[in-house]
Amino acid sequence: MLKEIRNIGIIAHIDAGKTTTTERILFYTGLTHRMGETHDGESVMDYMAYEKERGITITSAATRCIWKDHHINIIDTPGHVDFTAEVERSLRILDGAVVIFCAKGGVEPQSETVWRQADKYRVPRIAFVNKMDAVGADYHRVVKQINSRLGATPLVLSLPVVEDDQFCGIIDLLEMKYITFSGRLGNEVIQTDIPARHQEEAQSWRNVMIETLAENDESILELYYEETTISLEAMLGAIRRNTLNNSIVPVVCGSSYKNIGVQLLLNSIINYLPSPLEVKPTTARLLESDKEIEILPDTNEKFSALVFKIVSDRHVGKLAFARIYSGQLKAGSYIYNSTTGKKERVGRLVKMHANHREEIDEVKAGDIAAVIGLKDITTGDTICDESRPVLLEAIEFPDPVIQVAIEPKTQADQARIGEALARISAEDPTFKVTHNHDTGQMLIEGMGELHLEIITERLSREYGVEFNTGRPQVAYKETISRSAQQNTRYVKQTGGKGQYAHVIISLEPTEEVFVFESKVVGGAVPREYIPAVEAGIKQALREGILEGYPVVNVKAVLLDGSYHEVDSSELAFKTAAMLATKECMKKAQPKLLEPIMCLEITSPEEFTGNIINNISNRRGRLDSMNMENNTQIIKGYVPLAELFGYSTVLRSLTQGRAGFSMQFSHYEENQNAS
């Protein structure tokens, strides 16, 4: 039954406890019989060798469990900013999310990033304040930050109980019960009356909860004004309604590591997060008519699904993870890839439990599964029934911001490296392989130093490739400062048919990446040659004239030209456009753009002066400073070129007591460029 399915993601800042929480969920739902710990390298969800060694999640892992007759599909996502694309693609296909906050760290930089990603896809979410056992944990500060830093309306549903500096239980404000967790690994949930010393605080917070609900729900508001007792069912219904429309965020607390509160989190997932029937139907474009239609989560509809992740497996080939939006798919049947226009046969269907596969015969609307046997498939492709070819909205990924030169050591490595990099780039849309035609170097591009470090480790371990790498290089771009015009005539006369094309183009700065417009009148340039002119301009803009970087933020206009009835061709006009663009860029005052990173540093106050001076020395600018919980939060913008190895510098500046995170912000002019 679709009503009993929950497709959820676990999202948070790095080290907030996502994987530890998922491990507890798997244990309490009976899917595993022992708890794996990330710090021991034994967690089920962090199954890659690199994840076990570092104790962090690098790739999103899918699993499925059952709680109170509800099937929960869970995707555990990475928290590190270098792997934010994993969160992006997961949220695109999920119905709800659990956002985990560290009770000590609160709303951290990457917490804000994943929250914005969830906002983008309008994903309903609940907040779990984890690590309530940590020294310095402050539940109410985190709740305030959810409101002030994320702009959400938190609805506190539970309170932590701390006795003698020990986190020992939770007060459930809905049922007004004190809950403790005992037995083997906290699997016995015991409900008792709230101790007298906590009664007043509990009643006060219950009143706040009801008032917050009344502000957001008319049915509760009426009961509140009538001073009628509000039933538990009425409150549960109101919380669910307002969570689904994103007007409130239910907040519960616990400590996954100490096995406290995870069962209450599971209850909240079922009670407040949506089934596939309760989310807004996804829209798709009918290929035949170009008309937009709604895809209903119905097994009787025609089949359609979105591939959101590709994993290369050396034994079975490509595993294509797909969210099924409508209809059903059987193993051995045929699907139509409406993105590529190709028909392929489905080999096998599997349910994933981290890296373990459970073979199944069919999948239905609302489910998430992996398809084996599709050869020509990439992330973001739509697969559907050939009788109703539809195109679902693809997933957008950020451009890489860092690049490293890589060269194989031997001839044998030369043969293997191409295939290995192709497989990795098929899995990871934020990883790209390019060639610098001027230097002959192969460049790998990614989202950060850790991202590329993991990829080079994979090349060595999984594919046995020996290679050398250069120093990380920044992915610069070029643009123009002013408008310019160029008149170019391309004439080439050989023995036979010649080549003739004449174009007058202008280039001007714009906010968009690239815009092309034709203002040709009277057929001076025949209509069939205009696409060739656009193609020539685009090709010329791939390599700028300053350093050979791609040129962006340019509007190109074809103003006029002429042609020869015999000698003109598409190739001639493409060549003329390329030559004209190169010349025009010289006149348009080209300039170099560099990626600017948003840097957020959390540090004890005494090191603030050192940090600010260092930011200034790195051509950075300060944006804001806030004091929270005796910790200074410094935010600024610094060119990526100045941030290589910054973690080591920051540690030495602050005696190892500061932390930082950075993410791409924007491109701006490189003031150091000559």
Side-chain angles (χ1 to χ4, degrees):
M1 289 283 287
L2 278 169
K3 203 167 64 176
E4 273 85 47
I5 290 178
R6 300 287 182 273
N7 292 316
I8 66 153
I10 310 277
I11 61 175
H13 184 88
I14 192 167
D15 207 29
K18 294 178 298 300
T19 303
T20 305
T21 303
T22 310
E23 295 293 327
R24 276 17 180 209
I25 288 173
L26 300 184
F27 178 77
Y28 294 132
T29 56
L31 203 61
T32 56
H33 301 292
R34 62 186 293 273
M35 292 181 188
E37 302 294 0
T38 50
H39 55 267
D40 295 332
E42 291 185 356
S43 69
V44 174
M45 301 304 280
D46 287 349
Y47 58 88
M48 295 169 78
Y50 332 105
E51 297 178 311
K52 290 178 186 292
E53 286 163 13
R54 289 173 171 81
I56 63 168
T57 304
I58 287 164
T59 181
S60 56
T63 189
R64 180 186 175 93
C65 58
I66 297 172
W67 182 256
K68 296 186 177 176
D69 299 326
H70 285 70
H71 291 262
I72 307 174
N73 289 313
I74 301 172
I75 295 182
D76 176 29
T77 65
H80 197 285
V81 68
D82 282 17
F83 308 104
T84 193
E86 290 285 340
V87 184
E88 185 82 23
R89 62 169 153 203
S90 300
L91 285 171
R92 165 67 180 82
I93 55 94
L94 290 168
D95 301 328
V98 174
V99 189
I100 299 181
F101 299 96
C102 170
K104 185 181 178 185
V107 176
E108 296 170 278
Q110 189 65 4
S111 312
E112 295 188 52
T113 304
V114 297
W115 194 273
R116 282 197 300 273
Q117 287 171 306
D119 278 342
K120 176 178 168 183
Y121 295 112
R122 296 198 53 76
V123 175
R125 63 217 88 146
I126 54 181
F128 179 58
V129 181
N130 190 26
K131 301 194 178 184
M132 283 307 310
D133 59 305
V135 176
D138 188 338
Y139 181 56
H140 299 301
R141 179 177 69 89
V142 181
V143 172
K144 281 179 189 165
Q145 286 182 340
I146 291 171
N147 177 247
S148 61
R149 294 186 71 173
L150 303 177
T153 303
L155 184 76
V156 175
L157 300 182
S158 63
L159 292 178
V161 174
V162 179
E163 304 278 2
D164 300 323
D165 292 334
Q166 293 291 314
F167 176 48
C168 50
I170 291 169
I171 293 171
D172 180 351
L173 296 175
L174 281 163
E175 299 198 31
M176 288 300 273
K177 292 287 182 187
Y178 175 49
I179 301 170
T180 53
F181 302 82
S182 64
R184 181 175 170 267
L185 301 172
N187 54 353
E188 282 181 31
V189 182
I190 301 161
Q191 279 197 6
T192 55
D193 290 335
I194 298 169
R197 60 189 173 280
H198 296 295
Q199 280 278 5
E200 190 179 330
E201 184 193 13
Q203 191 56 55
S204 167
W205 275 98
R206 181 181 166 85
N207 293 341
V208 170
M209 177 189 74
I210 292 169
E211 284 166 16
T212 306
L213 263 183
E215 285 168 13
N216 290 278
D217 193 276
E218 283 188 19
S219 61
I220 299 294
L221 184 64
E222 284 177 26
L223 295 170
Y224 182 71
Y225 274 134
E226 290 167 9
E227 297 185 357
T228 326
T229 304
I230 304 168
S231 70
L232 179 64
E233 288 70 29
M235 281 196 283
L236 286 171
I239 296 168
R240 184 175 185 80
R241 275 193 304 278
N242 289 282
T243 304
L244 298 193
N245 66 24
N246 281 303
S247 57
I248 61 164
V249 177
V251 183
V252 291
C253 64
S255 167
S256 299
Y257 183 57
K258 294 287 186 186
N259 310 315
I260 298 174
V262 177
Q263 294 94 324
L264 300 187
L265 173 63
L266 278 163
N267 291 342
S268 299
I269 289 169
I270 287 164
N271 290 338
Y272 313 127
L273 290 181
S275 73
L277 293 169
E278 293 168 305
V279 291
K280 188 182 172 192
T282 192
T283 56
R285 186 163 55 82
L286 270 172
L287 289 188
E288 295 161 347
S289 61
D290 223 28
K291 193 174 81 175
E292 273 213 347
I293 60 163
E294 282 191 346
I295 302 290
L296 300 173
D298 188 342
T299 50
N300 299 317
E301 288 270 320
K302 300 281 187 187
F303 169 72
S304 64
L306 183 72
V307 174
F308 66 94
K309 183 177 169 74
I310 300 288
V311 174
S312 294
D313 187 288
R314 86 178 34 176
H315 303 297
V316 298
K318 280 184 180 178
L319 270 86
F321 284 72
R323 163 69 193 264
I324 319 301
Y325 282 105
S326 63
Q328 46 194 314
L329 181 65
K330 286 181 165 39
S333 60
Y334 283 85
I335 58 97
Y336 178 69
N337 184 333
S338 56
T339 310
T340 61
K342 293 182 179 175
K343 190 176 175 181
E344 289 198 64
R345 184 177 177 274
V346 173
R348 290 182 285 150
L349 295 169
V350 290
K351 287 276 183 204
M352 296 301 294
H353 173 48
N355 60 335
H356 302 294
R357 296 187 284 270
E358 175 199 337
E359 206 151 324
I360 51 173
D361 295 327
E362 65 173 353
V363 282
K364 297 182 177 180
D367 229 329
I368 294 170
V371 184
I372 298 174
L374 305 180
K375 292 180 177 66
D376 191 13
I377 192 94
T378 57
T379 300
D381 283 2
T382 301
I383 54 176
C384 58
D385 192 306
E386 197 175 12
S387 63
R388 188 188 69 171
V390 293
L391 201 59
L392 291 155
E393 185 190 345
I395 311 167
E396 289 179 11
F397 295 104
D399 289 331
V401 295
I402 185 172
Q403 58 185 206
V404 167
I406 186 168
E407 57 180 36
K409 282 187 177 177
T410 66
Q411 200 66 39
D413 293 322
Q414 178 83 47
R416 285 199 299 266
I417 198 167
E419 184 194 344
L421 290 173
R423 282 193 177 190
I424 295 170
S425 60
E427 289 181 25
D428 185 350
T430 58
F431 171 68
K432 290 193 170 78
V433 183
T434 57
H435 289 85
N436 187 315
H437 300 295
D438 295 335
T439 63
Q441 283 182 311
M442 180 188 288
L443 303 171
I444 55 173
E445 302 180 21
M447 300 305 294
E449 288 177 275
L450 180 63
H451 187 198
L452 292 184
E453 188 185 310
I454 296 292
I455 280 162
T456 51
E457 267 191 49
R458 287 189 64 189
L459 277 177
S460 170
R461 288 191 193 182
E462 288 178 35
Y463 299 99
V465 177
E466 294 290 312
F467 55 86
N468 295 316
T469 55
R471 186 179 177 275
Q473 297 293 312
V474 178
Y476 290 101
K477 290 188 177 174
E478 295 181 26
T479 191
I480 55 175
S481 306
R482 64 185 185 86
S483 300
Q485 196 170 308
Q486 177 64 26
N487 185 337
T488 295
R489 199 180 300 269
Y490 174 63
V491 183
K492 195 173 182 183
Q493 205 62 47
T494 53
K497 184 184 171 186
Q499 295 281 349
Y500 178 89
H502 171 216
V503 293
I504 301 172
I505 67 161
S506 74
L507 298 180
E508 57 190 75
T510 181
E511 291 295 310
E512 295 172 65
V513 176
F514 174 74
V515 180
F516 175 76
E517 186 184 341
S518 171
K519 290 187 175 175
V520 173
V521 290
V525 176
R527 191 178 298 166
E528 63 266 27
Y529 295 144
I530 290 174
V533 173
E534 183 179 358
I537 294 170
K538 277 183 176 175
Q539 190 163 329
L541 293 178
R542 282 181 197 160
E543 291 183 5
I545 58 168
L546 290 175
E547 304 279 349
Y549 293 109
V551 183
V552 294
N553 300 358
V554 171
K555 180 180 180 181
V557 182
L558 175 60
L559 299 167
D560 203 355
S562 63
Y563 72 104
H564 187 280
E565 285 187 3
V566 177
D567 291 349
S568 287
S569 65
E570 285 189 6
L571 180 62
F573 271 98
K574 185 177 178 181
T575 308
M578 285 172 65
L579 296 170
T581 304
K582 291 286 185 190
E583 288 303 314
C584 198
M585 277 197 289
K586 291 176 185 173
K587 300 177 186 175
Q589 290 179 355
K591 60 184 181 183
L592 205 59
L593 298 175
E594 63 179 338
I596 304 296
M597 307 302 281
C598 176
L599 187 69
E600 187 155 326
I601 302 161
T602 52
S603 164
E605 194 179 7
E606 62 260 37
F607 304 113
T608 305
N610 293 348
I611 292 168
I612 291 170
N613 286 340
N614 189 261
I615 287 175
S616 160
N617 293 340
R618 290 170 185 271
R619 297 191 288 124
R621 63 177 185 273
L622 199 64
D623 181 58
S624 64
M625 287 170 57
N626 290 307
M627 194 72 181
E628 282 188 19
N629 204 25
N630 299 323
T631 300
Q632 189 73 252
I633 296 170
I634 302 161
K635 195 172 177 181
Y637 295 93
V638 184
L640 175 64
E642 304 288 343
L643 288 172
F644 293 126
Y646 184 64
S647 53
T648 311
V649 174
L650 186 64
R651 277 199 293 271
S652 66
L653 283 174
T654 62
Q655 299 167 14
R657 292 171 63 194
F660 82 100
S661 80
M662 64 174 179
Q663 62 192 73
F664 172 71
S665 173
H666 62 282
Y667 273 91
E668 68 178 43
E669 187 177 352
N670 182 349
Q671 302 297 337
N672 280 9
S674 52

